[in-house]
Amino acid sequence: MNKKVSTIIASIVAISLLSLGIFYFSIRSSGAEISKLEAENIITSQYPGSIHGEVEKDETHGYFHAIIDHKGKAYDIQIDENTGKVLNLKELSISVDDDSTHESKEKKEKEQKADSNNDKENQQSEKEVIITKAKARALALEQFEGTIEELELDKDDGRMVYEVQLVKGEDEADITIDAFTGEVIYKDIERDNDD
């Protein structure tokens, strides 16, 4: 009988230690930083265009930073080093076409970083995205014919999106459009069936 009790107690202790080890490992791994290559892959998979120069890590503020060249325009993007989420995406007032402007770009980037760090919420506006409200409206109407009840620019999972609500009679649609690429990310259409 004592052998069975000893075996049960030993099993409980072993399971407890194993559970604590798994819990500890999951906590440690959840705070792991993404690599420079992973940050580059996040940028290239979510946004068109090419990365101008290299992805750089800002140790002070905890994010990766890159300049994207898309159709002759330059965009500044910041990726959180822990989560991989897009923290900020802004259109720069300069074009990316040669290395002679690289020094002035770096100066403007530093000024913009300082400005964005002072603004805790990093409010973004329609000027900082490629797709305008008019284009988002047209894209939404391609997905669902109706009347637009609401159209707003919002940040969703670190990504700037247009959230559009449309109505046609009793039918309703919610559509989410990437404000940088114009891609329809989400579409939910509710139809009222009078059967």
Side-chain angles (χ1 to χ4, degrees), residues 31-45:
E33 295 179 358
I34 63 170
S35 69
K36 187 176 182 180
L37 181 61
E38 288 170 321
E40 186 174 336
N41 288 336
I42 289 168
I43 294 168
T44 56
S45 68

Side-chain angles (χ1 to χ4, degrees), residues 9-189:
I9 291 174
S11 297
I12 291 172
V13 169
I15 291 171
S16 298
L17 290 175
L18 181 61
S19 298
L20 286 173
I22 291 170
F23 178 71
Y24 177 75
F25 178 72
S26 67
I27 288 174
R28 296 278 297 169
S29 65
S30 66
E33 295 179 358
I34 63 170
S35 69
K36 187 176 182 180
L37 181 61
E38 288 170 321
E40 186 174 336
N41 288 336
I42 289 168
I43 294 168
T44 56
S45 68
Q46 290 187 17
Y47 301 99
S50 59
I51 297 175
H52 186 75
E54 290 187 22
V55 175
E56 298 174 3
K57 185 173 182 180
D58 186 328
E59 299 285 344
T60 308
H61 300 101
Y63 60 80
F64 287 97
H65 164 76
I67 301 296
I68 302 171
D69 178 19
H70 181 67
K71 295 183 180 179
K73 293 184 179 180
Y75 298 88
D76 178 24
I77 187 167
Q78 296 172 355
I79 305 289
D80 186 281
E81 71 179 9
N82 292 317
T83 64
K85 290 186 178 183
V86 177
L87 298 174
N88 199 359
L89 175 66
K90 289 185 179 182
E91 181 179 347
L92 301 175
S93 60
I94 54 174
S95 64
V96 180
D97 52 5
D98 62 42
D99 289 336
S100 65
T101 60
H102 187 66
E103 289 177 13
S104 63
K105 281 186 233 175
E106 288 179 350
K107 182 179 177 183
K108 286 184 181 182
E109 289 169 19
K110 287 180 183 178
E111 290 172 2
Q112 288 175 345
K113 283 182 190 178
D115 290 343
S116 68
N117 290 331
N118 291 336
D119 181 14
K120 292 182 181 178
E121 296 187 21
N122 287 330
Q123 297 278 331
Q124 293 187 346
S125 67
E126 191 172 343
K127 293 178 184 177
E128 298 167 335
V129 295
I130 290 178
I131 304 299
T132 63
K133 278 191 175 184
K135 179 67 175 172
R137 181 183 314 272
L139 291 169
L141 289 170
E142 287 176 12
Q143 300 296 316
F144 181 84
E145 292 183 22
T147 304
I148 295 178
E149 293 288 312
E150 187 174 334
L151 172 73
E152 67 178 18
L153 182 63
D154 195 14
K155 193 177 225 180
D156 185 24
D157 291 332
R159 188 184 234 190
M160 293 304 293
V161 297
Y162 285 103
E163 294 177 346
V164 188
Q165 293 177 348
L166 300 106
V167 175
K168 182 177 182 181
E170 298 295 318
D171 299 342
E172 297 179 1
D174 290 321
I175 299 172
T176 304
I177 300 169
D178 187 299
F180 190 78
T181 65
E183 173 190 0
V184 175
I185 300 169
Y186 174 79
K187 178 170 68 172
D188 180 36
I189 299 174

